[in-house]
Amino acid sequence: MNKVVYLDTRRRRTPLPSAASTGSEAAPAAQAVQISIVMVSFHTGPELDEAIDAVLAQNIDLEMILVDNGNPEEVTEALKVRALTDPRLSLLTGHGNIGYAAACNLGARNACGEYLLLLNPDCVLQRDALRDLIQATEGAVRPWVAGCRIVNPDGTDQRGSRRELPTPWLTLVEALRLDRLAPNHPYFRRLNQHDQPLPEQTCVVPAVSGACMLMPLDDYRLIGGMDERYYLHVEDLDLCFSIAKAGGGVLFVPQVSIVHYKSTSDASAVRIEWYKARGFTQYFRKNFTGLYPDLFLTAVNVLVWCYFVIRLASLIKTSTVGTMAALFRRTGAFQSIGTDRSGGKDGRKGRAA
């Protein structure tokens, strides 16, 4: 593949059909590498450079495909230069923001590794993380997808690195905290498992975080890649569901950890919450229609949108408070400047200081 590939924003986006493709999304190079890392970036910020550095510092035969979903022009130009100077890095750009799932599929179509790693642009791999991940999954029943321990910058475990697959019932339990009624009952499980004791060895879990997902590239293509109807969020849960439906397993590797900064993208928090709510309602309709009564599914989807409204109100309140605080700070500064200009005793001291 060329080091920098410009893609037409009008190109029709299709699910991942096979290892072959045409046009500017050319078929992978004949000589394979051990692992292809696909990273999707949208206004990520300075964490992007740290994430790229950590990938390229791994002691393993790799290629890195960075899908530019719409970064500032100066960032894209810097990525082009870096791609031209490092043979392991390729850049796909010019297609605009096509959504996370579609961008992952785009990167995978250009991959030629035995393994595929989907990695968020604000995730920093620890030393030898890729080698250890691959070793920990050797012999796993295919198809499989694996995640690892994800920690915050302060070293604490992050939510979502291992979790239950949301069902309409478990979502209701989580939303209403019904687990308090019967904390040890299997029907009243909580969705996230990050606060449970860390397993000592690689184990099977219902779902892992899309921030870091490793799988054989052929397995990714076998299940058709990510469902591009998800624009942002929930596509990782749907992929875990697809792996399970195909008779495979979802693996959690506690021996490997990565740092995930979270919320680094310069994107509207309201839009993110909206896409998340839309993703969950789509996930429930796609995977549970016919398994749950229609009325119950509808009620859960209404609950999802009610939660969105609550989040929206919270975001508006936080934004309003922040704006007012900034206004008061500026007003105070203006008053101080006015006092300085008055020539008063306090003003003279202020200038002297």
Side-chain angles (χ1 to χ4, degrees):
M1 186 180 78
N2 294 332
K3 300 307 295 173
V4 179
V5 177
Y6 300 89
L7 299 174
D8 187 350
T9 56
R10 294 167 297 179
R11 181 180 296 277
R12 181 183 178 186
R13 302 196 304 271
T14 56
L16 202 75
S18 66
S21 58
T22 59
S24 59
E25 300 165 28
Q31 184 176 1
V33 295
Q34 187 170 10
I35 183 169
S36 300
I37 297 93
V38 171
M39 183 179 289
V40 180
S41 174
F42 173 81
H43 287 254
T44 304
E47 291 81 5
L48 177 60
D49 286 329
E50 187 178 357
I52 295 174
D53 289 342
V55 168
L56 298 179
Q58 298 292 307
N59 187 23
I60 194 171
D61 184 23
L62 64 83
E63 66 169 357
M64 183 175 185
I65 301 170
L66 199 148
V67 185
D68 177 20
N69 248 20
N71 283 297
E73 184 177 352
E74 62 274 14
V75 174
T76 301
E77 291 303 317
L79 291 172
K80 291 177 185 177
V81 172
R82 187 162 190 175
L84 292 172
T85 56
D86 193 318
R88 298 169 297 170
L89 177 62
S90 299
L91 177 67
L92 304 180
T93 188
H95 51 275
N97 191 354
I98 58 176
Y100 183 73
C104 286
N105 288 346
L106 176 60
R109 279 195 288 272
N110 288 273
C112 61
E114 178 184 357
Y115 296 95
L116 172 71
L117 179 75
L118 304 177
L119 186 68
N120 275 15
D122 53 359
C123 284
V124 179
L125 296 173
Q126 303 303 292
R127 181 181 178 88
D128 295 326
L130 296 184
R131 183 197 64 191
D132 294 342
L133 261 176
I134 291 174
Q135 289 181 351
T137 55
E138 288 181 350
V141 176
R142 296 179 60 177
W144 58 262
V145 61
C148 64
R149 185 185 179 197
I150 300 177
V151 299
N152 296 304
D154 62 3
T156 56
D157 281 281
Q158 200 169 99
R159 292 177 57 187
S161 57
R162 49 193 168 112
R163 48 188 165 174
E164 295 287 340
L165 267 176
T167 64
W169 169 250
L170 286 182
T171 301
L172 187 67
V173 169
E174 181 73 22
L176 302 180
R177 288 304 310 272
L178 299 180
D179 58 289
R180 296 170 179 171
L181 300 176
N184 297 319
H185 197 285
Y187 288 173
F188 290 84
R189 305 185 301 276
R190 298 208 63 187
L191 289 177
N192 292 303
Q193 302 176 0
H194 66 286
D195 55 353
Q196 297 180 13
L198 193 69
E200 296 182 359
Q201 300 178 6
T202 302
C203 59
V204 176
V205 295
V208 293
S209 170
C212 179
M213 279 184 155
L214 174 76
M215 69 205 79
L217 180 58
D218 287 344
D219 287 358
Y220 189 76
R221 289 170 172 156
L222 173 69
I223 63 171
M226 284 192 172
D227 187 337
E228 297 185 11
R229 289 175 294 180
Y230 297 97
Y231 189 82
L232 183 66
H233 286 296
V234 193
E235 66 285 311
D236 54 344
L237 294 171
D238 188 73
L239 187 142
C240 290
F241 197 98
S242 297
I243 289 285
K245 283 176 61 178
V250 180
L251 308 176
F252 175 68
V253 183
Q255 308 95 307
V256 178
S257 64
I258 64 170
V259 176
H260 186 202
Y261 285 106
K262 290 187 71 175
S263 303
T264 59
S265 176
D266 183 18
S268 166
V270 173
R271 288 191 68 193
I272 291 173
E273 292 296 331
W274 186 83
Y275 282 126
K276 189 182 297 184
R278 190 181 75 168
F280 270 112
T281 56
Q282 178 180 316
Y283 167 82
F284 292 139
R285 286 195 302 269
K286 173 184 174 181
N287 296 307
F288 297 98
T289 296
L291 299 177
Y292 281 79
D294 290 342
L295 184 60
F296 186 79
L297 275 178
T298 300
V300 171
N301 284 339
V302 168
L303 185 64
V304 168
W305 285 109
C306 286
Y307 179 78
F308 165 73
V309 172
I310 294 172
R311 286 289 298 144
L312 181 62
S314 175
L315 291 170
I316 293 174
K317 178 181 177 181
T318 301
S319 177
T320 302
V321 170
T323 301
M324 294 300 294
L327 179 62
F328 288 143
R329 285 195 296 270
R330 288 198 297 269
T331 303
F334 292 151
Q335 289 175 346
S336 175
I337 293 171
T339 303
D340 287 346
R341 289 177 177 173
S342 69
K345 184 177 179 181
D346 292 340
R348 289 195 298 273
K349 285 185 177 180
R351 288 198 298 273

